[in-house]
Amino acid sequence: IVVDPFDYVVFGGTGDLARRKLLPALYHRDLDGQIPDEARIIGVSRKPQSDKAYRELVKEALEAHLKPEEMDKKVLQRFLARCFFVGCDATSEAGWPDLAATLEAGKDRIRAFYLATSPDLFGPICDNIGKHNLITEQTRVVVEKPLGKDLASAKATNDEVGRIFKEEQIYRIDHYLGKETVQNLMALRFANALFEPLWDNAYIDHVQITVAESLGVEGRGDYYDTSGALRDMVQNHILQLLCLVAMEAPSSMDADAVRDEKLKVLKSLKPITDGDVNTVTVRGQYKSGVNEQGVVPGYLDEVSNKSSKTETFVAIKAEVGNWRWAGVPFYLRTGKRLATRVSEIVVAFKEIPHSIFGEAVPANELVIRLQPDEGVKLWLMIKDPGPGGLRLKRVALDMTFANAFKVRNPDAYERLLLDVVRGNATLFMRRDEVEQAWTWIDPILQAWKESDKAPKPYMSGSWGPDEARDLIRADVPTREWHE
Ligand code: BG6
């Protein structure tokens, strides 16, 4: 369905995120015929350049990040003709009257400001947007992570944006929420009667959420070294996944109905304090090694601070303190340079109460694979076929998206960018959610800082430090990470 006419103003329009994600995503939506004729994409950055030069940059970005078979000459021409450029300085007057003049031509359209810049520019950009009267009835602003490095800075950033925009105009991106398989979590849980009666501490033994990457910090060492895995992945993506697994059914898909339920989960997270930080969290940092990327250097070889104590791996035993989840550990794990790239959620059910088979019977597991090889597997016990005795075998009911649907898996940004135009905030984070997540994260950061311990080393290509294995075995010695 074609969306309403819009002007997308991308601050940081020549930057990495725009080139790698935003422009290819909008191109794909154009390819699918969802972008109306009048729509414009207005790249903004400090150094002035012509529309022609910007279109050249856009073309190169598309060629670099799309498959050759996705490049359609006619659509490409159409897409490039939508792209304009305005040189504008976030922190001064320079260029703002030009931007105002460019936007004047589209004053009745939906207007989206995408702040794909460093967060310290959010405040100055918003102030200038306000000062130059660029906010119409139909205006939205999209902000990218990192939204703060702790609760205080997140509040400060939210205040800066909130001074100019109303909460319902603010779209905070967590790109994990735009992933097909993450959206599918809602379908799986709330469109099937099958799981919900079993979805609690009576039947679920524990939950594992893994987001493993094989890449290292790539060119982002400077940013990453001030962040670390807890801030970069857990505060946002992993806690959002946990919310989707643990939340109560919202009354509808309405943005606030969904976000109210997620907020309740975040508020129910048991605080991790100084006393238990060493038993329920593990920090790691990768050494050189070999993984699916080949022979790779260690973290300290890749960042400028050679004595950095920043973690590139974290494992946490989290608990959701409410009636549904009391006593069910949520094991969270993420890291860079691990053995392979895999994101998945494992819901491990309890064992049957009594075996009549003369042998222990492994428990059922629901494995939701978010990426790659997206799919859902439900591990069941069946009779091993054959004339012999009744022997059991573990098999999976296996649904792989690629086999079940012969369609391209759209990138998360495709959905999110157009949801902004549609005014649908369900897949975006509300202010209180972001701040509540920091409220849980802050004491962990604080306790780590006070203990001043170096992260545990792990070999690139492994599954993280041994201590992560000890963490999951601590409660039940036979419990293992799903690998
Ligand atoms: C980003 C993090 O938010 O998510 C990166 O800043 C990380 O460090 C990335 O690599 C992972 O996203 P995806 O979509 O590749 O799983």
Side-chain angles (χ1 to χ4, degrees):
I1 306 172
V2 184
V3 296
D4 290 338
F6 62 80
D7 279 341
Y8 240 111
V9 183
V10 184
F11 289 90
T14 56
D16 182 60
L17 182 73
R19 280 181 287 134
R20 234 168 7 95
K21 292 289 182 184
L22 309 182
L23 294 164
L26 288 167
Y27 169 85
H28 262 296
R29 293 299 87 222
D30 204 355
L31 193 61
D32 276 359
Q34 275 196 301
I35 309 261
D37 292 343
E38 308 88 317
R40 293 184 296 177
I41 297 157
I42 303 167
V44 176
S45 66
R46 196 159 48 174
K47 209 164 135 243
Q49 60 177 300
S50 64
D51 291 339
K52 185 160 175 270
Y54 186 56
R55 287 173 187 166
E56 202 44 49
L57 177 146
V58 174
K59 184 164 175 260
E60 278 168 21
L62 297 178
E63 281 165 355
H65 298 289
L66 295 170
K67 299 196 186 101
E69 65 271 22
E70 292 171 333
M71 300 297 280
D72 176 296
K73 251 199 179 141
K74 212 170 117 215
V75 178
L76 180 65
Q77 286 318 316
R78 182 169 84 203
F79 186 78
L80 293 177
R82 305 180 182 287
C83 295
F84 298 86
F85 185 83
V86 179
C88 208
D89 183 0
T91 55
S92 77
E93 263 300 291
W96 288 92
D98 299 340
L99 182 59
T102 305
L103 287 174
E104 186 58 22
K107 63 175 184 301
D108 299 325
R109 301 179 192 163
I110 289 163
R111 184 175 291 175
F113 293 106
Y114 199 116
L115 311 191
T117 64
S118 142
D120 20 301
L121 297 179
F122 291 177
I125 293 174
C126 290
D127 287 346
N128 264 315
I129 290 174
K131 191 164 135 202
H132 291 88
N133 290 320
L134 303 184
I135 304 178
T136 60
E137 282 280 291
Q138 303 248 59
T139 294
R140 284 122 221 210
V141 65
V142 190
V143 290
E144 265 290 339
K145 64 175 286 231
L147 283 170
K149 48 190 325 251
D150 53 22
L151 179 60
S153 53
K155 279 189 171 163
T157 303
N158 280 330
D159 282 345
E160 283 177 337
V161 180
R163 262 203 308 272
I164 306 296
F165 291 97
K166 291 188 263 183
E167 178 62 27
E168 58 273 22
Q169 294 174 312
I170 305 172
Y171 289 69
R172 296 181 189 81
I173 292 247
D174 181 318
H175 78 281
Y176 267 57
L177 295 180
K179 289 182 189 270
E180 277 289 322
T181 45
V182 175
Q183 294 176 57
N184 185 48
L185 282 172
M186 292 276 258
L188 202 62
R189 284 199 58 198
F190 303 127
N192 295 290
L194 200 62
F195 297 120
E196 202 47 30
L198 306 181
W199 211 257
D200 61 21
N201 52 9
Y203 293 97
I204 293 180
D205 181 67
H206 71 275
V207 176
Q208 299 183 18
I209 302 179
T210 296
V211 178
E213 297 185 275
S214 53
L215 293 175
V217 287
E218 307 311 296
R220 299 160 72 233
D222 288 343
Y223 149 74
Y224 194 88
D225 206 43
T226 62
S227 164
L230 186 70
R231 291 188 176 99
D232 187 51
M233 298 296 287
V234 180
Q235 188 274 341
N236 35 72
H237 309 321
I238 292 197
L239 286 186
Q240 286 292 322
L241 295 176
L242 183 151
C243 284
L244 291 170
V245 174
M247 71 200 259
E248 298 301 313
S251 57
S252 73
M253 281 295 274
D254 171 72
D256 279 334
V258 172
R259 299 188 295 184
D260 286 347
E261 294 306 334
K262 289 199 292 182
L263 181 65
K264 284 188 209 160
V265 175
L266 293 167
K267 284 187 173 168
S268 311
L269 282 171
K270 272 207 193 157
I272 293 177
T273 53
D274 285 10
D276 48 23
V277 75
N278 288 330
T279 43
V280 299
T281 74
V282 174
R283 306 170 75 227
Q285 190 186 71
Y286 63 81
K287 299 274 159 209
S288 59
V290 184
N291 75 359
E292 61 187 22
Q293 303 290 321
V295 180
V296 290
Y299 181 71
L300 295 180
D301 303 323
E302 297 190 290
V303 291
S304 28
N305 176 5
K306 300 299 169 203
S307 52
S308 170
K309 288 183 181 168
T310 299
E311 81 286 354
T312 60
F313 174 96
V314 56
I316 300 181
K317 175 186 163 187
E319 288 179 84
V320 181
N322 62 19
W323 272 47
R324 188 191 278 261
W325 293 114
V328 180
F330 282 71
Y331 297 103
L332 317 176
R333 166 177 77 152
T334 183
K336 295 205 180 278
R337 289 266 199 255
L338 296 178
T340 186
R341 173 173 182 257
V342 56
S343 295
E344 69 184 8
I345 297 171
V346 178
V347 179
F349 289 90
K350 290 193 167 165
E351 287 177 6
I352 51 164
H354 169 71
S355 169
I356 59 172
F357 302 101
E359 55 177 309
V361 178
N364 299 127
E365 262 180 1
L366 177 67
V367 181
I368 305 160
R369 176 91 168 200
L370 306 177
Q371 62 187 25
D373 308 326
E374 294 81 0
V376 180
K377 261 188 201 170
L378 180 59
W379 288 93
L380 304 171
M381 299 305 293
I382 57 145
K383 177 188 174 297
D384 198 2
L390 205 164
R391 273 189 302 273
L392 298 176
K393 193 173 162 74
R394 195 166 174 264
V395 293
L397 290 184
D398 189 354
M399 192 282 300
T400 309
F401 281 93
N403 292 339
F405 308 94
K406 307 276 178 222
V407 291
R408 187 183 73 91
N409 189 4
D411 186 74
Y413 280 92
E414 294 180 40
R415 169 72 198 256
L416 296 176
L417 283 167
L418 288 207
D419 270 3
V420 172
V421 175
R422 294 185 197 101
N424 180 359
T426 302
L427 300 180
F428 297 82
M429 293 179 297
R430 208 168 53 192
R431 173 175 186 154
D432 48 7
E433 269 181 90
V434 175
E435 293 181 3
Q436 192 60 43
W438 279 118
T439 303
W440 187 71
I441 293 288
D442 265 8
I444 306 178
L445 287 169
Q446 194 56 33
W448 283 351
K449 197 166 153 208
E450 272 159 24
S451 83
D452 199 33
K453 284 203 186 115
K456 308 280 179 211
Y458 65 94
M459 294 272 288
S460 286
S462 71
W463 283 101
D466 291 346
E467 286 78 0
R469 196 194 49 210
D470 302 340
L471 173 85
I472 200 165
R473 287 184 185 168
D475 295 324
V476 178
T478 51
R479 223 174 242 168
E480 297 289 350
W481 291 104
H482 197 259
E483 266 151 35

